[in-house]
Amino acid sequence: MSLGFSHPKPFPGDILEFPRNKYFSHFGIYYGERDGVPYVAHLTCRDSETKLLLFGRALKSEVKLDPVEVVGQRYKVRNMLDEIHPPRDFYSVVKPAIDDMMGKDITFDILFHNSEHQATLFRYGLKKSTQIENVCCDWLQIEKVYIQILPTWKELFKKRKL
């Protein structure tokens, strides 16, 4: 997966995709700049003191605001649902939702509430993960998804890159 900048500067409310490996990407919402530093809001369990990895879940995750370069050097804008779902207004809806969620405990679940689900929930008001849908076309394949994705996710979790 070769990701680069999709355009020179993302706009507040854009979904940013950060590649992690050939199976998994991390997602966040471009929040804008503070003192010239670009920030992204993203669901992470990276800095949580009490974590529990259980069947692809981290019980202590949260939405954090980090400089884009802390989350990843490579990214692309990935507003994947714009053609079928209108994005919500950043300043009146998305930004207040992000601000409200920061610091609250959220259960991260690789299949049902990952960083892509959170990013689409902020931008569109609905949870969707195209990376999970690409691997799992129906519920009968969930076990196969866990077998394929969970070892990769565990490695990123151990390295504190989620």
Side-chain angles (χ1 to χ4, degrees):
M1 176 174 9
S2 175
L3 293 180
F5 294 94
S6 58
H7 53 77
K9 185 174 178 170
F11 296 99
D14 281 345
I15 294 176
L16 301 184
E17 177 182 5
F18 299 88
R20 294 296 190 238
N21 55 47
K22 68 180 184 176
Y23 298 111
F24 185 72
S25 289
H26 187 67
F27 293 81
I29 295 288
Y30 183 68
Y31 194 82
E33 291 186 1
R34 289 184 171 178
D35 298 322
V37 177
Y39 277 81
V40 63
H42 62 114
L43 179 62
T44 181
C45 50
R46 183 188 65 226
D47 297 328
S48 178
E49 294 300 321
T50 55
K51 295 188 268 194
L52 176 62
L53 176 62
L54 179 67
F55 304 111
R57 292 190 178 117
L59 299 181
K60 290 280 192 167
S61 300
E62 64 181 308
V63 172
K64 290 192 70 147
L65 198 57
D66 284 315
V68 170
E69 68 181 29
V70 168
V71 179
Q73 296 293 319
R74 296 181 325 147
Y75 67 88
K76 72 175 180 177
V77 172
R78 185 94 194 286
N79 298 326
M80 68 286 263
L81 302 178
D82 279 9
E83 292 182 14
I84 53 176
H85 295 287
R88 303 186 312 168
D89 181 72
F90 178 76
Y91 295 101
S92 65
V93 179
V94 178
K95 184 179 182 300
I98 290 169
D99 293 343
D100 185 56
M101 290 298 295
M102 282 196 288
K104 293 183 179 176
D105 287 345
I106 301 169
T107 298
F108 179 103
D109 184 298
I110 196 154
L111 290 180
F112 303 108
H113 196 89
N114 62 41
S115 63
E116 186 179 12
H117 288 111
Q118 188 67 56
T120 59
L121 184 59
F122 282 140
R123 183 169 175 86
Y124 304 109
L126 62 98
K127 289 174 27 172
K128 192 162 181 73
S129 177
T130 58
Q131 64 187 345
I132 295 301
E133 290 174 3
N134 289 339
V135 177
C136 180
C137 298
D138 62 58
W139 294 114
L140 298 175
Q141 295 181 352
I142 286 180
E143 189 172 328
K144 292 178 185 175
V145 172
Y146 274 116
I147 289 168
Q148 183 177 7
I149 292 179
L150 194 56
T152 302
W153 185 79
K154 276 186 180 180
E155 189 61 32
L156 293 168
F157 187 87
K158 286 179 191 173
K159 292 180 181 177
R160 300 176 75 91
K161 292 197 175 212
L162 281 178

